[in-house]
Amino acid sequence: MRADRLVSLVLLLRQHGRLSATALARELEVSTRTVLRDIEALSAAGVPVYAERGRHGGFALLPGFRTELTGLNPDEALALLVAGSRRGAQAFGLGSALASAMLKVVDALPESYRDTAAGAAERLLIDPETDLLSRRLVAEEVPDAVAAEVLRAVFAGHKLRIHYAAADQAPEWRTVDPIGLVTVRDRGYLLATRSGADRTYRLSRILAAQELAEPAQRADRVDLDLAWQERSTRFRAGGDQVTVVVRLDPARREDLVGTALAVLAEETDPDGRLRLEVTFQDRRHAEWALWQLSTNAEALAPQWLRDSLRARATAVATRYAVSS
């Protein structure tokens, strides 16, 4: 909305002192022509914005001008700034709204606290894009138009029509009753019901969405945390799950547990290695997880998994055998 953009423009000028039209356009994700029109609108409304000519020129506000925003104490502002650094908003298409909100948070602080809170927030990094091994954590992309329609339907309590591409299936249209949105490890999910049955849809697989005028059939209140736990439990209990017994180097325990669906039993052998009984979603999942652990793990059962891993290791050894 233009009103929100005008407020963001003023806050950007307050915090940076002077910015060029190009820099403002980049921050606001609009064209420079739109920025110039917004500057004219602010001037007409009595906001003291002026242009400075020259190589290092740009737009600025008269010193001392302040928007009427309520104050926050340093701890409150720091908490919001840290929360705002998380990438969950990107999964729901709220990245630009989050950036605008963070500008308002900083501007709402008394001047004596502003630099302190902003500086403290710079010293905290939440969920970086890569881990210590430089493995890139890529967030799934959700088209803005899809995210906007889904959000509107969720908040308004209206039915939602989605063109959904389930794994290994052709996309099809379906009408659902949206309940809420969840983000897990930068993946966004829509919790909904369809014909009264619980359904969970990955946002990145929604190709198109349309909010309908018809009210959704759902409870007035929802405990999303409980709903997610229940659906996660059902997911782990379904499908072609397999149970595996593994002997493991204790140093690799978290690597195994992080990929398994559940740990059913665990004990320590006399030699210090761990013996775990874990479940995986299917055979392919189990084979992949154990292969990643190399010689740090040994699958004791079932026999088909031992045979599969031995065949894979033999094939690799053959490929890298010394040629005569």
Side-chain angles (χ1 to χ4, degrees):
M1 294 177 61
R2 190 185 188 198
D4 291 336
R5 190 174 69 242
L6 292 176
V7 171
S8 294
L9 193 157
V10 171
L11 295 178
L12 283 168
L13 293 178
R14 275 191 49 77
Q15 292 174 30
H16 295 281
R18 180 174 61 247
L19 288 172
S20 67
T22 301
L24 287 168
R26 183 172 57 251
E27 292 287 343
L28 299 172
E29 299 181 348
V30 297
S31 66
T32 54
R33 180 173 297 182
T34 297
V35 168
L36 295 176
R37 284 200 300 265
D38 287 349
I39 293 292
E40 292 180 1
L42 289 172
S43 297
V47 177
V49 58
Y50 65 95
E52 292 186 355
R53 307 296 180 183
R55 181 180 178 184
H56 300 292
F59 295 99
L61 296 168
L62 287 178
F65 175 76
R66 182 168 183 79
T67 53
E68 295 181 359
L69 293 173
T70 58
L72 297 172
N73 66 45
D75 288 341
E76 291 171 339
L78 178 59
L80 289 174
L81 288 169
V82 172
S85 69
R86 300 185 67 87
R87 299 197 305 275
Q90 300 295 337
F92 299 145
L94 294 174
S96 60
L98 178 61
S100 175
M102 290 304 100
L103 284 172
K104 295 175 182 178
V105 167
V106 174
D107 193 79
L109 283 173
E111 188 171 357
S112 58
Y113 296 154
R114 195 175 304 139
D115 292 340
T116 299
E122 290 176 354
R123 298 183 182 277
L124 300 172
L125 177 61
I126 310 297
D127 290 341
E129 292 186 357
T130 60
D131 63 14
L132 286 175
L133 299 179
S134 296
R135 294 176 297 197
R136 186 172 180 81
L137 308 176
V138 181
E140 295 185 337
E141 295 293 330
V142 181
D144 290 344
V146 168
E149 286 292 311
V150 172
L151 282 170
R152 279 197 290 267
V154 169
F155 295 151
H158 291 166
K159 286 184 178 293
L160 180 67
R161 189 166 180 259
I162 58 175
H163 194 213
Y164 191 72
D168 301 323
Q169 296 182 26
E172 66 176 44
W173 285 96
R174 55 194 77 183
T175 299
V176 302
D177 296 298
I179 294 174
L181 294 165
V182 175
T183 177
V184 180
R185 297 177 182 174
D186 292 328
R187 289 183 176 179
Y189 297 90
L190 168 66
L191 273 58
T193 60
R194 186 182 181 199
S195 300
D198 288 345
R199 294 289 184 268
T200 303
Y201 302 100
R202 191 183 297 184
L203 291 183
S204 62
R205 292 178 178 169
I206 300 179
L207 307 180
Q210 178 185 6
E211 177 194 6
L212 304 180
E214 184 180 354
Q217 299 299 312
R218 67 182 192 182
D220 293 335
R221 302 295 299 272
V222 63
D223 184 338
L224 272 186
D225 188 44
L226 178 60
W228 180 255
Q229 289 182 32
E230 291 175 345
R231 295 185 186 209
S232 297
T233 299
R234 288 199 297 270
F235 175 79
R236 291 193 298 269
D240 302 319
Q241 288 187 20
V242 296
T243 300
V244 176
V245 178
V246 183
R247 288 191 78 240
L248 180 71
D249 182 337
R252 302 300 301 274
R253 181 187 183 280
E254 294 307 313
D255 294 326
L256 175 66
V257 173
T259 58
L261 292 181
V263 177
L264 304 181
E266 179 175 353
E267 61 183 27
T268 303
D269 284 347
D271 61 359
R273 293 175 71 85
L274 299 179
R275 185 180 297 255
L276 294 93
E277 184 178 356
V278 296
T279 58
F280 293 100
Q281 189 63 36
D282 51 32
R283 290 190 171 204
R284 183 178 177 185
H285 182 196
E287 182 179 344
W288 173 86
L290 269 294
W291 182 257
Q292 306 307 307
L293 296 173
S294 185
T295 57
N296 295 130
E298 178 188 0
L300 302 179
Q303 187 60 44
W304 63 260
L305 180 56
R306 292 178 58 86
D307 294 341
S308 178
L309 291 171
R310 182 174 61 252
R312 178 181 286 203
T314 300
V316 171
T318 301
R319 173 64 59 87
Y320 289 99
V322 177
S323 58
S324 56

